[in-house]
Structures are given as C-alpha cells and as structure tokens.
Amino acid sequence: MNETSPSPAAALPLIGRIGIAAIFLLSGFSKLAAPAATIGYIQSAGLPLPQVAFGIAALIEVGGGLALVLGFRTRIVAAILAAFAIVTAFAFHHDLADQGQFINFWKNVAMAGGLLQVVAFGAGRFSLDARR
C-alpha cells in the first residue's frame, strides 16, 4: 500500500458516524410519521410548547443525523446531538426506578459519550469536512 492509499482503518470513523446517526434518523423519521403521538408524549412529560419541541426534536434528529452521516460540520453537529441526548435523558428517562427508563437514560449517556469522541477526533477522511 502506498502513502496515498487510505488504510482500512480510515473507514472506521465513517462506519462509527453511520452507527451513531442511525438511532437519531430512526427516531426523527418515527416522529415525523406520527406527529400527534409524539406531541402527546412530549405533553405527558410536562414540557412546555410541545409542538415547538416536536419541531426542534425532529429537526435535530433528522438534520443532525444526516449531517453526521455526511460528515458535514461534524464536530458542531456531534456536540449538538450529545447535548440533545443528555437533555432528553433527563426530560424523558429520569425515573431510574423504572427499568426501561433506566436503560434508556444510560443509552442516552452512552450515545453522548460516543458523540463526544466525534467532537474530539473529528469526522475522519471520508467526510465533507475532510474536503473543506
């Protein structure tokens, strides 16, 4: 392999970004498919302006997920998604006596940890950021 050929490890940041983005994309598109149910869930959590919160959440999840996959403004997007994961952990999964909420709380914390790795190390070679 010559010095201009990428090593197989160069694809790992892309694979990692796709893996992390998958949960945000799935969640965002699920929200868009059932807005009334999502708005009701947001209301049940006692958050103000549930329609606005729905729009913000869908935008962050779909827009952020797509940007993460593409590697566009990756460090900023990953920081926003990490903050979103922590905020949603505390807003929706704070009853740690409930096993489902306990698991989802720590899943969100783990996602934020992975996203902070992206903030620290960037998008990698196969990204729009690398082309800028």
Side-chain angles (χ1 to χ4, degrees):
M1 195 177 319
N2 65 38
E3 295 197 20
T4 60
S5 298
S7 73
L12 292 177
L14 170 62
I15 295 166
R17 291 193 330 266
I18 292 168
I20 294 173
I23 197 161
F24 290 101
L25 291 168
L26 177 63
S27 180
F29 285 124
S30 294
K31 283 175 177 57
L32 294 174
T38 303
I39 291 168
Y41 182 60
I42 294 168
Q43 280 178 315
S44 75
L47 296 178
L49 304 168
Q51 293 86 355
V52 174
F54 165 80
I56 292 169
L59 176 66
I60 288 173
E61 289 178 336
V62 173
L66 290 172
L68 195 62
V69 168
L70 296 172
F72 178 73
R73 305 247 184 231
T74 311
R75 290 176 195 258
I76 294 167
V77 168
I80 291 167
L81 289 172
F84 180 80
I86 294 299
V87 167
T88 57
F90 282 100
F92 295 99
H93 309 301
H94 52 81
D95 181 6
L96 300 182
D98 177 298
Q99 184 178 13
Q101 287 195 35
F102 180 87
I103 290 167
N104 281 308
F105 180 91
W106 289 107
K107 172 214 31 125
N108 281 33
V109 170
M111 290 180 349
L115 287 159
L116 291 176
Q117 291 289 309
V118 176
V119 172
F121 298 107
R125 180 177 188 151
F126 299 111
S127 66
L128 293 176
D129 287 349
R131 294 178 171 263
R132 296 184 316 133

